[in-house]
Amino acid sequence: MNNPSPVLLATGLTGAIGQALVALMHPSWHIIGIRRSPVNVNTSIEWIEADLSDYDALASRVEQALLDRHITRVNGFVHVAGVVYSDDIVHTTGFEWEQTLNVNLRAAFELVKVVKPFLFSPASIVFVSSVDALMASTLGPAAAYGASKAGLEGLMRHLAVEWGHEGIRVNSVMVGALREGMGVADDREAHELSEHTALGRLGWAKEVAPAIQFLLEEHLSSYITGHTLRVDGGLNLAY
């Protein structure tokens, strides 16, 4: 009898990084995605409709959806979803702050608690973080975004310690500037940023997805936890 495919639960699969990850993981993994809008026609993903910013309803919605699908084990969880508002601090509204923290950080916190009863050794959690957790971009202020990603890094380390003895690994992929998705579209800004990377260019989602896959796959990264894997082209290595 064939073993069932490992189950991956993930957010943000409609974005550039998420789509690149799906292309890598399907069909060897059974992929369940969480998204706010109605289900699309992507047959490689089984969708759960839930709003990441509504944390009061998010947990119960996802938990019930897993139970309704008779999911008894989740092998991997990835939080890719994120929002960003490019406002300086004094002009960042309460709504922007709450929306950013809810989607980028609070949703991760709520979802790992939901998925915990479904995680059995070996299992892996990966948060998609950003270099904005460590530094501010000269292209524009985004304090709420940076704070949310810094919080995600802290949450990752605490989870790695708390759940490590149960065979659950927790890591993050810290992404630099990309030319797609939530990245840099303006050619002048892209050139400006490229001059600050060791590789002399911005990245692509297809270069981020393998790092996430690496941390998910037990046979590749079984002794790695509490680690931040930077995928940023060598951003700001020189001074």
Side-chain angles (χ1 to χ4, degrees), residues 83-93 96-97 100 104 132 136-146 182-184 189:
V83 296
V84 59
Y85 294 94
S86 295
D87 290 325
D88 57 31
I89 291 174
V90 296
H91 293 109
T92 298
T93 66
E96 290 173 340
W97 174 263
T100 304
N104 298 4
D132 286 58
S137 171
T138 57
L139 297 182
Y145 181 76
M182 292 170 59
V184 182
E189 292 181 347

mmCIF file with all atom_site columns, all heavy atoms in Angstrom, residues 83-93 96-97 100 104 132 136-146 182-184 189:
data_model
loop_
_atom_site.group_PDB
_atom_site.id
_atom_site.type_symbol
_atom_site.label_atom_id
_atom_site.label_alt_id
_atom_site.label_comp_id
_atom_site.label_asym_id
_atom_site.label_entity_id
_atom_site.label_seq_id
_atom_site.pdbx_PDB_ins_code
_atom_site.Cartn_x
_atom_site.Cartn_y
_atom_site.Cartn_z
_atom_site.occupancy
_atom_site.B_iso_or_equiv
_atom_site.pdbx_formal_charge
_atom_site.auth_seq_id
_atom_site.auth_comp_id
_atom_site.auth_asym_id
_atom_site.auth_atom_id
_atom_site.pdbx_PDB_model_num
ATOM 1   N N   . VAL A 1 83  ? 1.309  41.701 4.197  1.00 0.00 ? 83  VAL A N   1
ATOM 2   C CA  . VAL A 1 83  ? 0.879  42.981 3.633  1.00 0.00 ? 83  VAL A CA  1
ATOM 3   C C   . VAL A 1 83  ? 1.873  44.048 4.071  1.00 0.00 ? 83  VAL A C   1
ATOM 4   O O   . VAL A 1 83  ? 2.545  43.909 5.095  1.00 0.00 ? 83  VAL A O   1
ATOM 5   C CB  . VAL A 1 83  ? -0.543 43.373 4.096  1.00 0.00 ? 83  VAL A CB  1
ATOM 6   C CG1 . VAL A 1 83  ? -1.574 42.369 3.594  1.00 0.00 ? 83  VAL A CG1 1
ATOM 7   C CG2 . VAL A 1 83  ? -0.614 43.480 5.620  1.00 0.00 ? 83  VAL A CG2 1
ATOM 8   N N   . VAL A 1 84  ? 1.972  45.103 3.278  1.00 0.00 ? 84  VAL A N   1
ATOM 9   C CA  . VAL A 1 84  ? 2.889  46.192 3.608  1.00 0.00 ? 84  VAL A CA  1
ATOM 10  C C   . VAL A 1 84  ? 2.245  47.521 3.250  1.00 0.00 ? 84  VAL A C   1
ATOM 11  O O   . VAL A 1 84  ? 1.579  47.638 2.222  1.00 0.00 ? 84  VAL A O   1
ATOM 12  C CB  . VAL A 1 84  ? 4.246  46.036 2.875  1.00 0.00 ? 84  VAL A CB  1
ATOM 13  C CG1 . VAL A 1 84  ? 4.059  46.021 1.365  1.00 0.00 ? 84  VAL A CG1 1
ATOM 14  C CG2 . VAL A 1 84  ? 5.220  47.129 3.281  1.00 0.00 ? 84  VAL A CG2 1
ATOM 15  N N   . TYR A 1 85  ? 2.403  48.505 4.139  1.00 0.00 ? 85  TYR A N   1
ATOM 16  C CA  . TYR A 1 85  ? 1.991  49.884 3.891  1.00 0.00 ? 85  TYR A CA  1
ATOM 17  C C   . TYR A 1 85  ? 3.240  50.756 3.992  1.00 0.00 ? 85  TYR A C   1
ATOM 18  O O   . TYR A 1 85  ? 3.918  50.763 5.014  1.00 0.00 ? 85  TYR A O   1
ATOM 19  C CB  . TYR A 1 85  ? 0.956  50.340 4.930  1.00 0.00 ? 85  TYR A CB  1
ATOM 20  C CG  . TYR A 1 85  ? -0.359 49.598 4.839  1.00 0.00 ? 85  TYR A CG  1
ATOM 21  C CD1 . TYR A 1 85  ? -0.593 48.468 5.629  1.00 0.00 ? 85  TYR A CD1 1
ATOM 22  C CD2 . TYR A 1 85  ? -1.363 50.015 3.979  1.00 0.00 ? 85  TYR A CD2 1
ATOM 23  C CE1 . TYR A 1 85  ? -1.794 47.775 5.548  1.00 0.00 ? 85  TYR A CE1 1
ATOM 24  C CE2 . TYR A 1 85  ? -2.575 49.341 3.892  1.00 0.00 ? 85  TYR A CE2 1
ATOM 25  C CZ  . TYR A 1 85  ? -2.786 48.225 4.687  1.00 0.00 ? 85  TYR A CZ  1
ATOM 26  O OH  . TYR A 1 85  ? -3.978 47.544 4.605  1.00 0.00 ? 85  TYR A OH  1
ATOM 27  N N   . SER A 1 86  ? 3.539  51.476 2.927  1.00 0.00 ? 86  SER A N   1
ATOM 28  C CA  . SER A 1 86  ? 4.762  52.282 2.898  1.00 0.00 ? 86  SER A CA  1
ATOM 29  C C   . SER A 1 86  ? 4.474  53.698 3.412  1.00 0.00 ? 86  SER A C   1
ATOM 30  O O   . SER A 1 86  ? 4.415  54.668 2.643  1.00 0.00 ? 86  SER A O   1
ATOM 31  C CB  . SER A 1 86  ? 5.326  52.330 1.470  1.00 0.00 ? 86  SER A CB  1
ATOM 32  O OG  . SER A 1 86  ? 5.735  51.057 1.061  1.00 0.00 ? 86  SER A OG  1
ATOM 33  N N   . ASP A 1 87  ? 4.287  53.792 4.711  1.00 0.00 ? 87  ASP A N   1
ATOM 34  C CA  . ASP A 1 87  ? 4.074  55.078 5.363  1.00 0.00 ? 87  ASP A CA  1
ATOM 35  C C   . ASP A 1 87  ? 5.098  55.264 6.466  1.00 0.00 ? 87  ASP A C   1
ATOM 36  O O   . ASP A 1 87  ? 5.512  54.295 7.109  1.00 0.00 ? 87  ASP A O   1
ATOM 37  C CB  . ASP A 1 87  ? 2.661  55.159 5.984  1.00 0.00 ? 87  ASP A CB  1
ATOM 38  C CG  . ASP A 1 87  ? 1.571  55.229 4.926  1.00 0.00 ? 87  ASP A CG  1
ATOM 39  O OD1 . ASP A 1 87  ? 1.819  55.847 3.868  1.00 0.00 ? 87  ASP A OD1 1
ATOM 40  O OD2 . ASP A 1 87  ? 0.483  54.682 5.158  1.00 0.00 ? 87  ASP A OD2 1
ATOM 41  N N   . ASP A 1 88  ? 5.489  56.524 6.689  1.00 0.00 ? 88  ASP A N   1
ATOM 42  C CA  . ASP A 1 88  ? 6.350  56.766 7.842  1.00 0.00 ? 88  ASP A CA  1
ATOM 43  C C   . ASP A 1 88  ? 5.520  56.622 9.111  1.00 0.00 ? 88  ASP A C   1
ATOM 44  O O   . ASP A 1 88  ? 4.292  56.529 9.078  1.00 0.00 ? 88  ASP A O   1
ATOM 45  C CB  . ASP A 1 88  ? 7.043  58.126 7.758  1.00 0.00 ? 88  ASP A CB  1
ATOM 46  C CG  . ASP A 1 88  ? 6.069  59.283 7.621  1.00 0.00 ? 88  ASP A CG  1
ATOM 47  O OD1 . ASP A 1 88  ? 4.942  59.182 8.138  1.00 0.00 ? 88  ASP A OD1 1
ATOM 48  O OD2 . ASP A 1 88  ? 6.433  60.300 7.005  1.00 0.00 ? 88  ASP A OD2 1
ATOM 49  N N   . ILE A 1 89  ? 6.199  56.599 10.232 1.00 0.00 ? 89  ILE A N   1
ATOM 50  C CA  . ILE A 1 89  ? 5.534  56.243 11.486 1.00 0.00 ? 89  ILE A CA  1
ATOM 51  C C   . ILE A 1 89  ? 4.402  57.199 11.842 1.00 0.00 ? 89  ILE A C   1
ATOM 52  O O   . ILE A 1 89  ? 3.311  56.767 12.214 1.00 0.00 ? 89  ILE A O   1
ATOM 53  C CB  . ILE A 1 89  ? 6.574  56.172 12.633 1.00 0.00 ? 89  ILE A CB  1
ATOM 54  C CG1 . ILE A 1 89  ? 7.503  54.973 12.408 1.00 0.00 ? 89  ILE A CG1 1
ATOM 55  C CG2 . ILE A 1 89  ? 5.879  56.059 13.995 1.00 0.00 ? 89  ILE A CG2 1
ATOM 56  C CD1 . ILE A 1 89  ? 8.650  54.888 13.379 1.00 0.00 ? 89  ILE A CD1 1
ATOM 57  N N   . VAL A 1 90  ? 4.636  58.489 11.709 1.00 0.00 ? 90  VAL A N   1
ATOM 58  C CA  . VAL A 1 90  ? 3.604  59.443 12.142 1.00 0.00 ? 90  VAL A CA  1
ATOM 59  C C   . VAL A 1 90  ? 2.387  59.426 11.229 1.00 0.00 ? 90  VAL A C   1
ATOM 60  O O   . VAL A 1 90  ? 1.313  59.895 11.619 1.00 0.00 ? 90  VAL A O   1
ATOM 61  C CB  . VAL A 1 90  ? 4.172  60.877 12.248 1.00 0.00 ? 90  VAL A CB  1
ATOM 62  C CG1 . VAL A 1 90  ? 5.243  60.951 13.318 1.00 0.00 ? 90  VAL A CG1 1
ATOM 63  C CG2 . VAL A 1 90  ? 4.705  61.363 10.910 1.00 0.00 ? 90  VAL A CG2 1
ATOM 64  N N   . HIS A 1 91  ? 2.522  58.895 10.025 1.00 0.00 ? 91  HIS A N   1
ATOM 65  C CA  . HIS A 1 91  ? 1.389  58.807 9.117  1.00 0.00 ? 91  HIS A CA  1
ATOM 66  C C   . HIS A 1 91  ? 0.821  57.394 9.004  1.00 0.00 ? 91  HIS A C   1
ATOM 67  O O   . HIS A 1 91  ? -0.116 57.163 8.234  1.00 0.00 ? 91  HIS A O   1
ATOM 68  C CB  . HIS A 1 91  ? 1.784  59.319 7.730  1.00 0.00 ? 91  HIS A CB  1
ATOM 69  C CG  . HIS A 1 91  ? 2.080  60.783 7.686  1.00 0.00 ? 91  HIS A CG  1
ATOM 70  N ND1 . HIS A 1 91  ? 3.348  61.284 7.524  1.00 0.00 ? 91  HIS A ND1 1
ATOM 71  C CD2 . HIS A 1 91  ? 1.267  61.858 7.833  1.00 0.00 ? 91  HIS A CD2 1
ATOM 72  C CE1 . HIS A 1 91  ? 3.311  62.605 7.544  1.00 0.00 ? 91  HIS A CE1 1
ATOM 73  N NE2 . HIS A 1 91  ? 2.066  62.983 7.736  1.00 0.00 ? 91  HIS A NE2 1
ATOM 74  N N   . THR A 1 92  ? 1.368  56.456 9.730  1.00 0.00 ? 92  THR A N   1
ATOM 75  C CA  . THR A 1 92  ? 0.819  55.102 9.761  1.00 0.00 ? 92  THR A CA  1
ATOM 76  C C   . THR A 1 92  ? -0.440 55.105 10.612 1.00 0.00 ? 92  THR A C   1
ATOM 77  O O   . THR A 1 92  ? -0.406 55.455 11.791 1.00 0.00 ? 92  THR A O   1
ATOM 78  C CB  . THR A 1 92  ? 1.836  54.101 10.330 1.00 0.00 ? 92  THR A CB  1
ATOM 79  O OG1 . THR A 1 92  ? 2.991  54.064 9.484  1.00 0.00 ? 92  THR A OG1 1
ATOM 80  C CG2 . THR A 1 92  ? 1.232  52.703 10.405 1.00 0.00 ? 92  THR A CG2 1
ATOM 81  N N   . THR A 1 93  ? -1.550 54.726 10.027 1.00 0.00 ? 93  THR A N   1
ATOM 82  C CA  . THR A 1 93  ? -2.816 54.742 10.751 1.00 0.00 ? 93  THR A CA  1
ATOM 83  C C   . THR A 1 93  ? -2.952 53.513 11.645 1.00 0.00 ? 93  THR A C   1
ATOM 84  O O   . THR A 1 93  ? -2.249 52.514 11.461 1.00 0.00 ? 93  THR A O   1
ATOM 85  C CB  . THR A 1 93  ? -3.999 54.773 9.774  1.00 0.00 ? 93  THR A CB  1
ATOM 86  O OG1 . THR A 1 93  ? -4.035 53.534 9.041  1.00 0.00 ? 93  THR A OG1 1
ATOM 87  C CG2 . THR A 1 93  ? -3.872 55.941 8.797  1.00 0.00 ? 93  THR A CG2 1
ATOM 88  N N   . GLU A 1 96  ? -3.747 50.527 9.469  1.00 0.00 ? 96  GLU A N   1
ATOM 89  C CA  . GLU A 1 96  ? -2.592 49.967 8.783  1.00 0.00 ? 96  GLU A CA  1
ATOM 90  C C   . GLU A 1 96  ? -1.731 49.150 9.738  1.00 0.00 ? 96  GLU A C   1
ATOM 91  O O   . GLU A 1 96  ? -1.250 48.072 9.386  1.00 0.00 ? 96  GLU A O   1
ATOM 92  C CB  . GLU A 1 96  ? -1.759 51.098 8.167  1.00 0.00 ? 96  GLU A CB  1
ATOM 93  C CG  . GLU A 1 96  ? -2.432 51.782 6.986  1.00 0.00 ? 96  GLU A CG  1
ATOM 94  C CD  . GLU A 1 96  ? -1.667 52.988 6.500  1.00 0.00 ? 96  GLU A CD  1
ATOM 95  O OE1 . GLU A 1 96  ? -0.843 53.540 7.278  1.00 0.00 ? 96  GLU A OE1 1
ATOM 96  O OE2 . GLU A 1 96  ? -1.881 53.390 5.347  1.00 0.00 ? 96  GLU A OE2 1
ATOM 97  N N   . TRP A 1 97  ? -1.528 49.677 10.938 1.00 0.00 ? 97  TRP A N   1
ATOM 98  C CA  . TRP A 1 97  ? -0.733 48.959 11.937 1.00 0.00 ? 97  TRP A CA  1
ATOM 99  C C   . TRP A 1 97  ? -1.378 47.624 12.287 1.00 0.00 ? 97  TRP A C   1
ATOM 100 O O   . TRP A 1 97  ? -0.734 46.579 12.276 1.00 0.00 ? 97  TRP A O   1
ATOM 101 C CB  . TRP A 1 97  ? -0.574 49.829 13.183 1.00 0.00 ? 97  TRP A CB  1
ATOM 102 C CG  . TRP A 1 97  ? 0.096  49.146 14.326 1.00 0.00 ? 97  TRP A CG  1
ATOM 103 C CD1 . TRP A 1 97  ? -0.504 48.530 15.389 1.00 0.00 ? 97  TRP A CD1 1
ATOM 104 C CD2 . TRP A 1 97  ? 1.517  48.982 14.526 1.00 0.00 ? 97  TRP A CD2 1
ATOM 105 N NE1 . TRP A 1 97  ? 0.444  48.001 16.239 1.00 0.00 ? 97  TRP A NE1 1
ATOM 106 C CE2 . TRP A 1 97  ? 1.690  48.257 15.729 1.00 0.00 ? 97  TRP A CE2 1
ATOM 107 C CE3 . TRP A 1 97  ? 2.642  49.369 13.815 1.00 0.00 ? 97  TRP A CE3 1
ATOM 108 C CZ2 . TRP A 1 97  ? 2.942  47.926 16.234 1.00 0.00 ? 97  TRP A CZ2 1
ATOM 109 C CZ3 . TRP A 1 97  ? 3.894  49.041 14.312 1.00 0.00 ? 97  TRP A CZ3 1
ATOM 110 C CH2 . TRP A 1 97  ? 4.029  48.322 15.512 1.00 0.00 ? 97  TRP A CH2 1
ATOM 111 N N   . THR A 1 100 ? -1.399 45.072 9.330  1.00 0.00 ? 100 THR A N   1
ATOM 112 C CA  . THR A 1 100 ? -0.065 44.516 9.090  1.00 0.00 ? 100 THR A CA  1
ATOM 113 C C   . THR A 1 100 ? 0.304  43.492 10.154 1.00 0.00 ? 100 THR A C   1
ATOM 114 O O   . THR A 1 100 ? 0.782  42.394 9.839  1.00 0.00 ? 100 THR A O   1
ATOM 115 C CB  . THR A 1 100 ? 0.985  45.634 9.055  1.00 0.00 ? 100 THR A CB  1
ATOM 116 O OG1 . THR A 1 100 ? 0.612  46.600 8.070  1.00 0.00 ? 100 THR A OG1 1
ATOM 117 C CG2 . THR A 1 100 ? 2.361  45.097 8.732  1.00 0.00 ? 100 THR A CG2 1
ATOM 118 N N   . ASN A 1 104 ? 0.612  39.576 9.088  1.00 0.00 ? 104 ASN A N   1
ATOM 119 C CA  . ASN A 1 104 ? 2.005  39.137 9.037  1.00 0.00 ? 104 ASN A CA  1
ATOM 120 C C   . ASN A 1 104 ? 2.448  38.347 10.258 1.00 0.00 ? 104 ASN A C   1
ATOM 121 O O   . ASN A 1 104 ? 3.289  37.448 10.140 1.00 0.00 ? 104 ASN A O   1
ATOM 122 C CB  . ASN A 1 104 ? 2.929  40.344 8.871  1.00 0.00 ? 104 ASN A CB  1
ATOM 123 C CG  . ASN A 1 104 ? 2.688  41.098 7.577  1.00 0.00 ? 104 ASN A CG  1
ATOM 124 O OD1 . ASN A 1 104 ? 1.776  40.776 6.824  1.00 0.00 ? 104 ASN A OD1 1
ATOM 125 N ND2 . ASN A 1 104 ? 3.493  42.092 7.311  1.00 0.00 ? 104 ASN A ND2 1
ATOM 126 N N   . ASP A 1 132 ? 13.649 43.477 6.123  1.00 0.00 ? 132 ASP A N   1
ATOM 127 C CA  . ASP A 1 132 ? 13.108 44.642 6.831  1.00 0.00 ? 132 ASP A CA  1
ATOM 128 C C   . ASP A 1 132 ? 12.993 44.397 8.325  1.00 0.00 ? 132 ASP A C   1
ATOM 129 O O   . ASP A 1 132 ? 12.806 45.340 9.093  1.00 0.00 ? 132 ASP A O   1
ATOM 130 C CB  . ASP A 1 132 ? 11.738 45.009 6.256  1.00 0.00 ? 132 ASP A CB  1
ATOM 131 C CG  . ASP A 1 132 ? 11.840 45.662 4.895  1.00 0.00 ? 132 ASP A CG  1
ATOM 132 O OD1 . ASP A 1 132 ? 12.401 45.042 3.982  1.00 0.00 ? 132 ASP A OD1 1
ATOM 133 O OD2 . ASP A 1 132 ? 11.356 46.791 4.742  1.00 0.00 ? 132 ASP A OD2 1
ATOM 134 N N   . ALA A 1 136 ? 16.036 49.200 7.760  1.00 0.00 ? 136 ALA A N   1
ATOM 135 C CA  . ALA A 1 136 ? 15.038 49.998 7.056  1.00 0.00 ? 136 ALA A CA  1
ATOM 136 C C   . ALA A 1 136 ? 15.508 50.286 5.639  1.00 0.00 ? 136 ALA A C   1
ATOM 137 O O   . ALA A 1 136 ? 16.673 50.592 5.414  1.00 0.00 ? 136 ALA A O   1
ATOM 138 C CB  . ALA A 1 136 ? 14.782 51.306 7.795  1.00 0.00 ? 136 ALA A CB  1
ATOM 139 N N   . SER A 1 137 ? 14.601 50.187 4.683  1.00 0.00 ? 137 SER A N   1
ATOM 140 C CA  . SER A 1 137 ? 14.942 50.446 3.289  1.00 0.00 ? 137 SER A CA  1
ATOM 141 C C   . SER A 1 137 ? 14.994 51.948 3.023  1.00 0.00 ? 137 SER A C   1
ATOM 142 O O   . SER A 1 137 ? 14.148 52.708 3.503  1.00 0.00 ? 137 SER A O   1
ATOM 143 C CB  . SER A 1 137 ? 13.906 49.799 2.368  1.00 0.00 ? 137 SER A CB  1
ATOM 144 O OG  . SER A 1 137 ? 14.098 50.200 1.029  1.00 0.00 ? 137 SER A OG  1
ATOM 145 N N   . THR A 1 138 ? 15.967 52.375 2.232  1.00 0.00 ? 138 THR A N   1
ATOM 146 C CA  . THR A 1 138 ? 16.062 53.783 1.847  1.00 0.00 ? 138 THR A CA  1
ATOM 147 C C   . THR A 1 138 ? 15.027 54.138 0.789  1.00 0.00 ? 138 THR A C   1
ATOM 148 O O   . THR A 1 138 ? 14.818 55.321 0.499  1.00 0.00 ? 138 THR A O   1
ATOM 149 C CB  . THR A 1 138 ? 17.463 54.099 1.291  1.00 0.00 ? 138 THR A CB  1
ATOM 150 O OG1 . THR A 1 138 ? 17.726 53.229 0.173  1.00 0.00 ? 138 THR A OG1 1
ATOM 151 C CG2 . THR A 1 138 ? 18.529 53.895 2.357  1.00 0.00 ? 138 THR A CG2 1
ATOM 152 N N   . LEU A 1 139 ? 14.365 53.130 0.197  1.00 0.00 ? 139 LEU A N   1
ATOM 153 C CA  . LEU A 1 139 ? 13.370 53.398 -0.839 1.00 0.00 ? 139 LEU A CA  1
ATOM 154 C C   . LEU A 1 139 ? 12.042 53.860 -0.268 1.00 0.00 ? 139 LEU A C   1
ATOM 155 O O   . LEU A 1 139 ? 11.200 54.379 -0.995 1.00 0.00 ? 139 LEU A O   1
ATOM 156 C CB  . LEU A 1 139 ? 13.153 52.142 -1.688 1.00 0.00 ? 139 LEU A CB  1
ATOM 157 C CG  . LEU A 1 139 ? 14.363 51.641 -2.474 1.00 0.00 ? 139 LEU A CG  1
ATOM 158 C CD1 . LEU A 1 139 ? 13.987 50.431 -3.300 1.00 0.00 ? 139 LEU A CD1 1
ATOM 159 C CD2 . LEU A 1 139 ? 14.917 52.745 -3.360 1.00 0.00 ? 139 LEU A CD2 1
ATOM 160 N N   . GLY A 1 140 ? 11.836 53.657 1.004  1.00 0.00 ? 140 GLY A N   1
ATOM 161 C CA  . GLY A 1 140 ? 10.579 54.095 1.596  1.00 0.00 ? 140 GLY A CA  1
ATOM 162 C C   . GLY A 1 140 ? 10.362 53.496 2.965  1.00 0.00 ? 140 GLY A C   1
ATOM 163 O O   . GLY A 1 140 ? 10.780 52.370 3.222  1.00 0.00 ? 140 GLY A O   1
ATOM 164 N N   . PRO A 1 141 ? 9.746  54.262 3.866  1.00 0.00 ? 141 PRO A N   1
ATOM 165 C CA  . PRO A 1 141 ? 9.524  53.782 5.240  1.00 0.00 ? 141 PRO A CA  1
ATOM 166 C C   . PRO A 1 141 ? 8.422  52.734 5.302  1.00 0.00 ? 141 PRO A C   1
ATOM 167 O O   . PRO A 1 141 ? 7.452  52.792 4.558  1.00 0.00 ? 141 PRO A O   1
ATOM 168 C CB  . PRO A 1 141 ? 9.108  55.065 5.974  1.00 0.00 ? 141 PRO A CB  1
ATOM 169 C CG  . PRO A 1 141 ? 8.460  55.905 4.918  1.00 0.00 ? 141 PRO A CG  1
ATOM 170 C CD  . PRO A 1 141 ? 9.207  55.615 3.642  1.00 0.00 ? 141 PRO A CD  1
ATOM 171 N N   . ALA A 1 142 ? 8.587  51.765 6.165  1.00 0.00 ? 142 ALA A N   1
ATOM 172 C CA  . ALA A 1 142 ? 7.577  50.719 6.355  1.00 0.00 ? 142 ALA A CA  1
ATOM 173 C C   . ALA A 1 142 ? 7.754  50.134 7.755  1.00 0.00 ? 142 ALA A C   1
ATOM 174 O O   . ALA A 1 142 ? 8.042  48.949 7.918  1.00 0.00 ? 142 ALA A O   1
ATOM 175 C CB  . ALA A 1 142 ? 7.702  49.641 5.282  1.00 0.00 ? 142 ALA A CB  1
ATOM 176 N N   . ALA A 1 143 ? 7.586  50.995 8.762  1.00 0.00 ? 143 ALA A N   1
ATOM 177 C CA  . ALA A 1 143 ? 7.865  50.585 10.137 1.00 0.00 ? 143 ALA A CA  1
ATOM 178 C C   . ALA A 1 143 ? 6.968  49.446 10.606 1.00 0.00 ? 143 ALA A C   1
ATOM 179 O O   . ALA A 1 143 ? 7.423  48.528 11.286 1.00 0.00 ? 143 ALA A O   1
ATOM 180 C CB  . ALA A 1 143 ? 7.721  51.785 11.079 1.00 0.00 ? 143 ALA A CB  1
ATOM 181 N N   . ALA A 1 144 ? 5.690  49.508 10.263 1.00 0.00 ? 144 ALA A N   1
ATOM 182 C CA  . ALA A 1 144 ? 4.769  48.459 10.708 1.00 0.00 ? 144 ALA A CA  1
ATOM 183 C C   . ALA A 1 144 ? 5.169  47.114 10.109 1.00 0.00 ? 144 ALA A C   1
ATOM 184 O O   . ALA A 1 144 ? 5.148  46.081 10.786 1.00 0.00 ? 144 ALA A O   1
ATOM 185 C CB  . ALA A 1 144 ? 3.336  48.812 10.308 1.00 0.00 ? 144 ALA A CB  1
ATOM 186 N N   . TYR A 1 145 ? 5.549  47.129 8.840  1.00 0.00 ? 145 TYR A N   1
ATOM 187 C CA  . TYR A 1 145 ? 5.984  45.898 8.173  1.00 0.00 ? 145 TYR A CA  1
ATOM 188 C C   . TYR A 1 145 ? 7.245  45.346 8.828  1.00 0.00 ? 145 TYR A C   1
ATOM 189 O O   . TYR A 1 145 ? 7.332  44.149 9.130  1.00 0.00 ? 145 TYR A O   1
ATOM 190 C CB  . TYR A 1 145 ? 6.227  46.196 6.697  1.00 0.00 ? 145 TYR A CB  1
ATOM 191 C CG  . TYR A 1 145 ? 6.670  45.003 5.881  1.00 0.00 ? 145 TYR A CG  1
ATOM 192 C CD1 . TYR A 1 145 ? 5.761  44.013 5.505  1.00 0.00 ? 145 TYR A CD1 1
ATOM 193 C CD2 . TYR A 1 145 ? 7.991  44.869 5.469  1.00 0.00 ? 145 TYR A CD2 1
ATOM 194 C CE1 . TYR A 1 145 ? 6.160  42.927 4.739  1.00 0.00 ? 145 TYR A CE1 1
ATOM 195 C CE2 . TYR A 1 145 ? 8.395  43.786 4.701  1.00 0.00 ? 145 TYR A CE2 1
ATOM 196 C CZ  . TYR A 1 145 ? 7.479  42.820 4.345  1.00 0.00 ? 145 TYR A CZ  1
ATOM 197 O OH  . TYR A 1 145 ? 7.875  41.735 3.590  1.00 0.00 ? 145 TYR A OH  1
ATOM 198 N N   . GLY A 1 146 ? 8.224  46.213 9.047  1.00 0.00 ? 146 GLY A N   1
ATOM 199 C CA  . GLY A 1 146 ? 9.464  45.774 9.676  1.00 0.00 ? 146 GLY A CA  1
ATOM 200 C C   . GLY A 1 146 ? 9.234  45.221 11.067 1.00 0.00 ? 146 GLY A C   1
ATOM 201 O O   . GLY A 1 146 ? 9.825  44.204 11.450 1.00 0.00 ? 146 GLY A O   1
ATOM 202 N N   . MET A 1 182 ? 5.628  41.437 -3.991 1.00 0.00 ? 182 MET A N   1
ATOM 203 C CA  . MET A 1 182 ? 5.665  42.668 -3.212 1.00 0.00 ? 182 MET A CA  1
ATOM 204 C C   . MET A 1 182 ? 7.006  43.386 -3.362 1.00 0.00 ? 182 MET A C   1
ATOM 205 O O   . MET A 1 182 ? 7.327  44.290 -2.594 1.00 0.00 ? 182 MET A O   1
ATOM 206 C CB  . MET A 1 182 ? 5.411  42.350 -1.727 1.00 0.00 ? 182 MET A CB  1
ATOM 207 C CG  . MET A 1 182 ? 3.998  41.878 -1.446 1.00 0.00 ? 182 MET A CG  1
ATOM 208 S SD  . MET A 1 182 ? 3.799  41.235 0.235  1.00 0.00 ? 182 MET A SD  1
ATOM 209 C CE  . MET A 1 182 ? 4.262  42.674 1.209  1.00 0.00 ? 182 MET A CE  1
ATOM 210 N N   . GLY A 1 183 ? 7.795  42.980 -4.353 1.00 0.00 ? 183 GLY A N   1
ATOM 211 C CA  . GLY A 1 183 ? 9.131  43.525 -4.530 1.00 0.00 ? 183 GLY A CA  1
ATOM 212 C C   . GLY A 1 183 ? 9.166  44.840 -5.280 1.00 0.00 ? 183 GLY A C   1
ATOM 213 O O   . GLY A 1 183 ? 8.190  45.592 -5.317 1.00 0.00 ? 183 GLY A O   1
ATOM 214 N N   . VAL A 1 184 ? 10.296 45.117 -5.905 1.00 0.00 ? 184 VAL A N   1
ATOM 215 C CA  . VAL A 1 184 ? 10.564 46.402 -6.542 1.00 0.00 ? 184 VAL A CA  1
ATOM 216 C C   . VAL A 1 184 ? 10.235 46.316 -8.027 1.00 0.00 ? 184 VAL A C   1
ATOM 217 O O   . VAL A 1 184 ? 10.827 45.530 -8.759 1.00 0.00 ? 184 VAL A O   1
ATOM 218 C CB  . VAL A 1 184 ? 12.046 46.803 -6.354 1.00 0.00 ? 184 VAL A CB  1
ATOM 219 C CG1 . VAL A 1 184 ? 12.314 48.161 -6.985 1.00 0.00 ? 184 VAL A CG1 1
ATOM 220 C CG2 . VAL A 1 184 ? 12.392 46.809 -4.867 1.00 0.00 ? 184 VAL A CG2 1
ATOM 221 N N   . GLU A 1 189 ? 14.807 52.171 -9.096 1.00 0.00 ? 189 GLU A N   1
ATOM 222 C CA  . GLU A 1 189 ? 14.955 51.696 -7.719 1.00 0.00 ? 189 GLU A CA  1
ATOM 223 C C   . GLU A 1 189 ? 15.609 50.323 -7.686 1.00 0.00 ? 189 GLU A C   1
ATOM 224 O O   . GLU A 1 189 ? 16.420 50.028 -6.799 1.00 0.00 ? 189 GLU A O   1
ATOM 225 C CB  . GLU A 1 189 ? 13.586 51.661 -7.031 1.00 0.00 ? 189 GLU A CB  1
ATOM 226 C CG  . GLU A 1 189 ? 12.984 53.042 -6.803 1.00 0.00 ? 189 GLU A CG  1
ATOM 227 C CD  . GLU A 1 189 ? 11.639 52.971 -6.109 1.00 0.00 ? 189 GLU A CD  1
ATOM 228 O OE1 . GLU A 1 189 ? 11.063 51.862 -6.027 1.00 0.00 ? 189 GLU A OE1 1
ATOM 229 O OE2 . GLU A 1 189 ? 11.161 54.024 -5.649 1.00 0.00 ? 189 GLU A OE2 1
#
